[in-house]
């Protein structure tokens, strides 16, 4: 499909969950491409400090993606500080609690859906109208291969990422003819705090810089979905076509129980304690 070209040199890019991990690496990649970047995060002190490393091309802002008013203030501040309008929005903020489904608390389930799903909904509902009015713009929603391939111990996380994949695909269709594109990036296991303490076994692992590079590439390609690594996306799609008995053998070999039975509880507790305080 053809979309109006977005030149990254001088473009305004807003990124959520940008104080660490994938979000911070993505901010660094966009700054390197010449973009002006607004970094949003719940941890205001950390995101301001993170943005400072990029100099005048970036600014850190307080952002609670579960609160639509907070999200609106973030986008308004980005436009005012960086001299909008917004060219690219990256919905990256996310949480990944792990536990057997019957042991997960209702409060953490709700947090997962609020951050991972409603955070994306809020961002698109706020950013897309202006993009449609101008006739150009790009939204990147960072989902997960867990949005295609369910794993034990991550049931509600899986549900949230399945939701993001479907939400992104349907919204992309609705944007046809407006000049605005919606892309989804689906990482495998990423070496960040999000998956800390979980031994993913033979499942493919990637660096946050790999995801950042994929996000930036979508501004040029406008691809509907980009899996990282790409072969894992092919495998996840193919899994839906194979007999369940065969897939169960593959799952066993791939340690699909990693989020339950292959966890360093001491390391993992640091991350879980942080999100449980949100």
């Amino acid at each position: 499909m053809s979309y109006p070209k977005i030149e990254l040199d001088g473009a305004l890019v807003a990124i959520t969950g940008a104080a660490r991990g994938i979000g911070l690496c993505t901010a660094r990649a966009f700054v390197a491409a010449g973009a002006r970047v607004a970094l949003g995060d719940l941890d205001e002190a950390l995101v301001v400090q993170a943005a400072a490393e990029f100099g005048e091309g970036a600014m850190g802002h307080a952002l609670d993606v579960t609160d639509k008013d907070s999200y609106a203030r973030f986008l308004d501040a980005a436009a005012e500080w960086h001299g909008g309008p917004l060219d690219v929005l990256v919905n990256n903020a996310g949480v990944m609690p792990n536990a057997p489904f019957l042991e997960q608390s209702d409060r953490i389930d709700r947090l997962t859906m609020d951050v991972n799903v409603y955070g994306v909904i809020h961002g698109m509902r706020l950013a897309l109208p202006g993009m449609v009015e101008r006739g150009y713009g790009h939204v990147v929603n960072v989902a997960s291969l867990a949005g295609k391939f369910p794993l034990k111990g991550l049931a509600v996380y899986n549900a949230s990422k399945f939701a993001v994949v479907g939400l992104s695909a349907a919204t992309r269709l609705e944007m046809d003819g407006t000049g605005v594109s919606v892309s989804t990036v689906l990482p495998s296991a990423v070496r960040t705090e999000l998956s800390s303490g979980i031994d993913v076994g033979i499942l493919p692992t990637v660096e946050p810089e790999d995801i950042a590079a994929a996000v930036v590439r979508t501004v040029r390609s406008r691809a509907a979905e980009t899996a990282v690594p790409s072969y894992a996306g092919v495998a996840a799609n193919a899994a839906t076509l194979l007999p369940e008995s065969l897939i169960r053998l593959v799952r066993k070999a791939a340690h699909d129980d990693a989020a339950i039975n292959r966890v360093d509880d001491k390391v993992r507790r640091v991350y879980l304690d942080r999100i449980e305080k949100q």
Side-chain angles (χ1 to χ4, degrees), residues 36-92:
R36 297 162 295 145
V37 181
L39 292 77
D41 201 277
L42 191 62
D43 190 333
E44 182 177 11
L46 185 60
V47 77
V48 169
Q49 178 183 343
E53 76 168 89
F54 304 129
E56 295 182 358
M59 183 68 180
H61 306 267
L63 169 62
D64 178 356
V65 298
T66 70
D67 181 341
K68 192 174 182 180
D69 290 337
S70 174
Y71 210 132
R73 289 193 296 272
F74 166 58
L75 294 181
D76 287 345
E80 180 178 357
W81 180 267
H82 299 275
L86 184 66
D87 296 292
V88 179
L89 172 64
V90 182
N91 280 311
N92 165 73

Side-chain angles (χ1 to χ4, degrees), residues 65-67 109-120 122:
V65 298
T66 70
D67 181 341
D109 288 346
R110 187 170 296 278
L111 173 68
T112 302
M113 300 304 286
D114 282 347
V115 174
N116 294 1
V117 181
Y118 276 96
V120 175
H122 293 331

Side-chain angles (χ1 to χ4, degrees), residues 155-171:
V156 176
Y157 177 77
N158 279 136
S160 71
K161 294 304 184 179
F162 268 75
V164 171
V165 171
L167 172 67
S168 303
T171 306

